[in-house]
Amino acid sequence: MTIRPITIIGHRALDQRARKVREITPELHALVADMVETCEAADGAGLAAPQVGARWRIFVYSCTDADGVLRTGHVINPVLERFGPLELDDETLEGCLSVPGEGFPTARHRGARVTGTDVDGRPVEVEDTGGVLARCLQHEVDHLDGRLYLDRLSPAARREALDAVRRRGWRDRSLVSWDPTRQAADEV
């Protein structure tokens, strides 16, 4: 397994819709294993394939559900269903490994369910009714659709986030990824 560099806002892989997985290959098994290791090394709640430069509809997760239980796994070709009210809690900041070191209040539905398959082709269903996991499922599927959480921010928060991106110089230099084995997300 390999810890892969994580793409940063501005990388074109983050702006494009990921492709559906049509065949499970040994390379795909390796990608999922690498994503799990990369997410763990970066101390992330989830990681989508485009965040490591792969344009497949795959994500991994490791976060708590509404009951405080740690849930881990991966989903290939996820189909997302959102339910419950759309909520914006100014105290809960959503972050992203592709916008490292930043966090902003982001409106998300209270609950989410994802269906898909695992790397062995078995059906997978992951559901949460209000924990970090529900937010994570929505966040990671957004990545697969070519969206960042910044796209969901209020206009004022979005301006603040884009100012932070400019301050860090991510749009002004050739920094397109960061290595979680060499630096913490807030150091990027």
Side-chain angles (χ1 to χ4, degrees):
M1 292 182 285
T2 303
I3 295 174
R4 297 184 182 212
I6 298 173
T7 58
I8 292 177
I9 184 173
H11 191 289
R12 67 184 199 138
L14 298 173
D15 297 329
Q16 301 172 354
R17 186 170 173 80
R19 297 181 306 237
K20 184 174 184 175
V21 173
R22 302 211 181 276
E23 179 182 2
I24 305 295
T25 64
E27 292 79 19
L28 198 70
H29 277 266
L31 172 62
V32 170
D34 290 354
M35 288 173 61
V36 168
E37 189 168 346
T38 301
C39 187
E40 183 177 300
D43 196 28
L47 184 71
Q51 292 181 276
V52 293
R55 290 203 38 231
W56 297 111
R57 292 190 72 76
I58 304 169
F59 72 83
V60 300
Y61 61 92
S62 178
C63 52
T64 55
D65 62 17
D67 296 323
V69 176
L70 178 65
R71 306 263 304 271
T72 62
H74 66 276
V75 183
I76 298 173
N77 297 328
V79 175
L80 174 67
E81 177 187 348
R82 297 173 184 95
F83 52 88
L86 192 62
E87 298 178 338
L88 178 63
D89 176 3
D90 288 332
E91 301 301 313
T92 302
L93 303 181
E94 185 166 326
C96 179
L97 295 175
S98 291
V99 187
E102 301 298 332
F104 297 91
T106 307
R108 295 284 184 186
H109 287 271
R110 175 172 268 289
R113 177 183 306 112
V114 167
T115 56
T117 62
D118 68 12
V119 291
D120 296 316
R122 293 182 300 235
V124 171
E125 182 176 317
V126 184
E127 181 176 333
D128 189 30
T129 58
V132 175
L133 180 58
R135 182 172 291 276
C136 176
L137 297 175
Q138 295 169 75
H139 181 109
E140 299 310 328
V141 172
D142 272 356
H143 275 301
L144 302 179
D145 292 338
R147 296 182 74 177
L148 292 174
Y149 84 104
L150 302 183
D151 299 328
R152 295 195 177 274
L153 297 179
S154 70
R158 184 167 169 73
R159 274 191 303 280
E160 186 181 340
L162 294 177
D163 285 347
V165 167
R166 277 189 284 285
R167 276 193 311 278
R168 289 179 181 268
W170 292 335
R171 301 275 174 138
D172 300 331
R173 60 183 192 221
S174 61
L175 181 64
V176 294
S177 65
W178 67 280
D179 182 346
T181 63
R182 296 193 178 168
Q183 61 199 125
D186 59 358
E187 296 172 352
V188 178

